[in-house]
Amino acid sequence: MYAITTNSKAEPILPSFSNSVLLELFQAKPVENFSTGRAVFWEGDPAKDVFEVTRGILRLYRILPDGRRAIVGFVFAGEMMGLSFQDRYLFTAEAVGEVSVHRISRRMFHAAVDSSPHLRPELLSHLRDEMCAAQDQMLLVLRNSADERLASFLLLIARKTSGEPERGTEIQLAMARADIADYLGMSIETVSRSISRLKWQGIIALDGPSRLTIQRVRALRELAGEVERFGDEDIPHLAATMGRQPVQLAR
Amino acid sequence: MYAITTNSKAEPILPSFSNSVLLELFQAKPVENFSTGRAVFWEGDPAKDVFEVTRGILRLYRILPDGRRAIVGFVFAGEMMGLSFQDRYLFTAEAVGEVSVHRISRRMFHAAVDSSPHLRPELLSHLRDEMCAAQDQMLLVLRNSADERLASFLLLIARKTSGEPERGTEIQLAMARADIADYLGMSIETVSRSISRLKWQGIIALDGPSRLTIQRVRALRELAGEVERFGDEDIPHLAATMGRQPVQLAR
DNA sequence: CGAGAATTTGAAACCCATCAATGACGGTGG
DNA sequence: CCACCGTCATTGATGGGTTTCAAATTCTCG
């Protein structure tokens, strides 16, 4: 998921989720639509089905014993979900906007996979990718600076939607600040402050709360720990104003 | 791994790692020994083999871009390792003491699994358990109090070695404070301070740095978030001194 | 028993969570 | 069309938990 750590090469591993032949299993199934905030399934429900998301984004979360919500991942269009369950869903899946999915029963899914020597290694491969992503997410949260986590998150979203980001790449944040906060393990206010800091440093620009533009890719990737901090090829002359609080707020 | 969160029932899921028929695949293989600090394989190496640990403990870690070490897990005797790799090892595996393993090539392992309808679902099941454990570990680290993380960790170790802990259960900490710190995402000093706090509160007792005894199981489980904090059946009369710094240090 | 390593403890600084207030936006109804 | 309200995002101030630097103490092992 975060190319930095898990994959030897710095290529996004997500496409492997999407190009899967496994996805073909879903195509015969009818489309189901979920409107904003609706749950596809709940944590603890019997894990009867597996899904493919064809439109929109799903947020996966669990409620901790103390009542807080922890988002364990997002599922984007073109990705499958539910392959890694035993007999019960481990988390709730909720639509972050309008979402469409194909649904297939776990029994049928596994029957199909079992009977096909082609599909079997693919399922394994998929599970391993998921494993890999979960581990990366863990390491991301461990790396403690809020700004670093946010940088990684922005790169993640950018890659999911528009491939490898360059200067000028626009990012559409479909989820609210609260979602980002619960995903990155920090408070809403800290997410907001981190975004503001990136803005003051000229790394990103905002066109409204949920729409932003990457301006200094290299700096963003350095923050995310993807590259060594050395050359600063983009907009080095802004450095003078970077270190401290803004003299004046944009927008 | 942490029964609290992932499993509906509060039974340890680890035994499922151990009782696996998959383990029989390893028995024909010779034993390899690794002494303290030796690596079984390195992060980034081609993932040629899978392993069963028959004695000792392995620590699995990755080095973050900034040079810090993150321990992603420990492998105990009776557990398998390496099933969730694609083509390269995602982390380094290092002996925490004297360790013995069986080694089998991934190719042979998969050939065996592929040809046996019995083994296939077991591999899947195992991968899902690993997935599950990784997610729990993530949530554990997110839940921020240092004492809570340490409580969960102690319960984990206790269960790995002597089943469900009761009052008086002894825990042998095979790994150093630095290992615990890198596993729980905190500093050595904070680990030490957390242990001291649990000691002041009479929840555990120390017989040397690496040997401790659980004295108030319920309180420990409450800290770990496994049970609601309500009754305090063990040693309730100590409560008066619990809240603040020690008036005098024990030991 | 002694030396080096590991652990524990102390003090200060920092980062982030929390509480609180303000500002921006979107929708509804007058 | 605009005022109003609720939600979401931003910003400020404060406090607490952890990290960091530093030193003392304990443990381990030859």
Side-chain angles (χ1 to χ4, degrees):
Chain A
M1 201 172 244
Y2 302 99
I4 338 100
T5 43
T6 295
N7 305 291
S8 27
K9 314 297 174 200
E11 5 174 306
I13 71 176
L14 282 318
S16 68
F17 288 20
S18 320
N19 299 336
S20 172
V21 187
L22 286 170
L23 282 176
E24 294 174 9
L25 291 174
F26 293 92
Q27 310 218 333
K29 299 294 174 179
V31 171
E32 290 179 48
N33 294 303
F34 294 85
S35 52
T36 305
R38 279 305 196 295
V40 177
F41 55 76
W42 296 89
E43 174 179 357
D45 281 357
K48 282 175 50 244
D49 306 314
V50 296
F51 303 86
E52 178 203 356
V53 175
T54 57
R55 179 183 62 126
I57 302 179
L58 247 33
R59 68 174 156 249
L60 314 178
Y61 68 84
R62 289 163 64 174
I63 300 298
L64 301 182
D66 62 359
R68 282 184 305 161
R69 182 185 71 160
I71 292 187
V72 297
F74 295 98
V75 182
F76 293 76
E79 296 177 0
M80 293 175 289
M81 173 191 55
L83 277 56
S84 57
F85 293 121
Q86 216 66 263
D87 55 333
R88 305 220 158 238
Y89 293 119
L90 291 181
F91 39 72
T92 300
E94 212 172 79
V96 176
E98 294 294 307
V99 168
S100 305
V101 305
H102 291 301
R103 176 200 302 261
I104 187 175
S105 84
R106 242 167 55 108
R107 271 189 49 257
M108 289 181 65
F109 181 81
H110 272 107
V113 171
D114 246 25
S115 63
S116 155
H118 265 64
L119 259 38
R120 235 182 288 139
E122 259 212 77
L123 174 58
L124 280 182
S125 176
H126 178 88
L127 285 177
R128 288 180 172 127
D129 283 350
E130 267 195 37
M131 182 79 206
C132 192
Q135 212 181 80
D136 282 346
Q137 163 64 6
M138 182 173 95
L139 293 184
L140 169 63
V141 171
L142 266 182
R143 184 150 42 84
N144 39 10
S145 152
D147 290 2
E148 289 169 350
R149 297 186 208 175
L150 187 69
S152 295
F153 179 74
L154 292 182
L155 286 171
L156 167 70
I157 299 294
R159 292 192 172 111
K160 290 272 195 180
T161 55
S162 35
E164 193 55 31
E166 348 169 329
R167 176 206 203 101
T169 296
E170 295 196 341
I171 301 179
Q172 180 72 34
L173 258 24
M175 61 290 289
R177 296 291 186 271
D179 292 329
I180 303 176
D182 289 349
Y183 180 64
L184 297 178
M186 49 207 227
S187 69
I188 309 179
E189 294 92 331
T190 299
V191 171
S192 183
R193 273 185 253 267
S194 281
I195 291 181
S196 296
R197 271 192 294 268
L198 295 189
K199 187 175 65 179
W200 294 330
Q201 297 175 6
I203 296 177
I204 60 173
L206 294 191
D207 315 322
S210 62
R211 185 154 200 81
L212 50 84
T213 307
I214 300 182
Q215 298 192 302
R216 303 172 56 214
V217 195
R218 175 62 176 267
L220 195 60
R221 299 187 64 214
E222 278 175 4
L223 257 183
E226 294 184 5
V227 293
E228 303 306 316
R229 65 177 53 261
F230 187 73
D232 213 357
E233 72 277 29
D234 39 17
I235 320 195
H237 53 280
L238 279 186
T241 59
M242 277 173 50
R244 53 180 190 283
Q245 295 286 358
V247 284
Q248 156 186 338
L249 11 146
R251 275 199 63 82
Chain B
M1 199 175 248
Y2 303 99
I4 336 102
T5 42
T6 293
N7 304 291
S8 28
K9 315 296 175 199
E11 6 174 307
I13 71 175
L14 284 319
S16 69
F17 287 21
S18 320
N19 300 335
S20 172
V21 187
L22 286 169
L23 281 175
E24 294 174 9
L25 290 174
F26 293 92
Q27 309 219 333
K29 299 293 172 180
V31 170
E32 289 179 49
N33 294 305
F34 294 84
S35 52
T36 305
R38 279 304 194 296
V40 176
F41 55 76
W42 297 88
E43 174 179 357
D45 281 358
K48 284 175 49 242
D49 305 315
V50 296
F51 303 86
E52 178 203 354
V53 175
T54 56
R55 179 182 62 125
I57 300 179
L58 246 33
R59 69 175 155 249
L60 314 178
Y61 68 84
R62 289 163 66 172
I63 301 297
L64 301 182
D66 61 359
R68 283 185 306 160
R69 183 185 69 161
I71 292 188
V72 297
F74 295 99
V75 183
F76 293 78
E79 296 177 359
M80 294 176 289
M81 173 191 55
L83 276 55
S84 57
F85 292 121
Q86 216 65 263
D87 55 333
R88 305 219 157 239
Y89 294 117
L90 292 181
F91 40 70
T92 299
E94 213 172 76
V96 174
E98 294 295 306
V99 168
S100 304
V101 306
H102 291 301
R103 177 199 300 260
I104 186 174
S105 84
R106 241 166 56 106
R107 274 190 46 258
M108 290 181 64
F109 181 81
H110 272 105
V113 171
D114 244 26
S115 63
S116 155
H118 265 63
L119 259 38
R120 234 181 290 139
E122 258 209 77
L123 175 59
L124 280 183
S125 176
H126 178 89
L127 284 177
R128 289 179 173 128
D129 283 351
E130 266 194 38
M131 181 81 207
C132 193
Q135 209 180 83
D136 282 348
Q137 164 65 4
M138 179 173 96
L139 294 183
L140 170 62
V141 171
L142 265 180
R143 182 150 43 84
N144 38 13
S145 154
D147 290 2
E148 290 168 349
R149 298 185 209 175
L150 187 70
S152 295
F153 178 74
L154 293 181
L155 286 171
L156 167 70
I157 300 295
R159 292 193 172 111
K160 290 272 194 181
T161 55
S162 35
E164 193 56 30
E166 347 170 330
R167 176 203 202 103
T169 296
E170 295 195 342
I171 301 179
Q172 179 72 32
L173 257 26
M175 61 290 291
R177 295 291 186 271
D179 293 329
I180 303 176
D182 289 348
Y183 180 63
L184 296 178
M186 48 208 227
S187 70
I188 310 178
E189 295 92 331
T190 300
V191 172
S192 181
R193 274 185 253 268
S194 280
I195 292 181
S196 297
R197 272 191 295 269
L198 295 190
K199 189 174 68 180
W200 306 145
Q201 298 174 6
I203 295 178
I204 59 173
L206 294 191
D207 315 322
S210 63
R211 184 153 200 80
L212 51 83
T213 307
I214 300 181
Q215 299 191 301
R216 303 173 55 215
V217 195
R218 175 62 177 266
L220 195 60
R221 300 187 63 216
E222 277 175 5
L223 258 182
E226 294 184 4
V227 292
E228 302 306 317
R229 64 178 52 263
F230 188 72
D232 212 357
E233 73 278 28
D234 41 15
I235 320 194
H237 52 282
L238 279 186
T241 59
M242 278 174 49
R244 51 180 191 283
Q245 292 287 355
V247 285
Q248 154 187 338
L249 7 150
R251 274 199 66 84

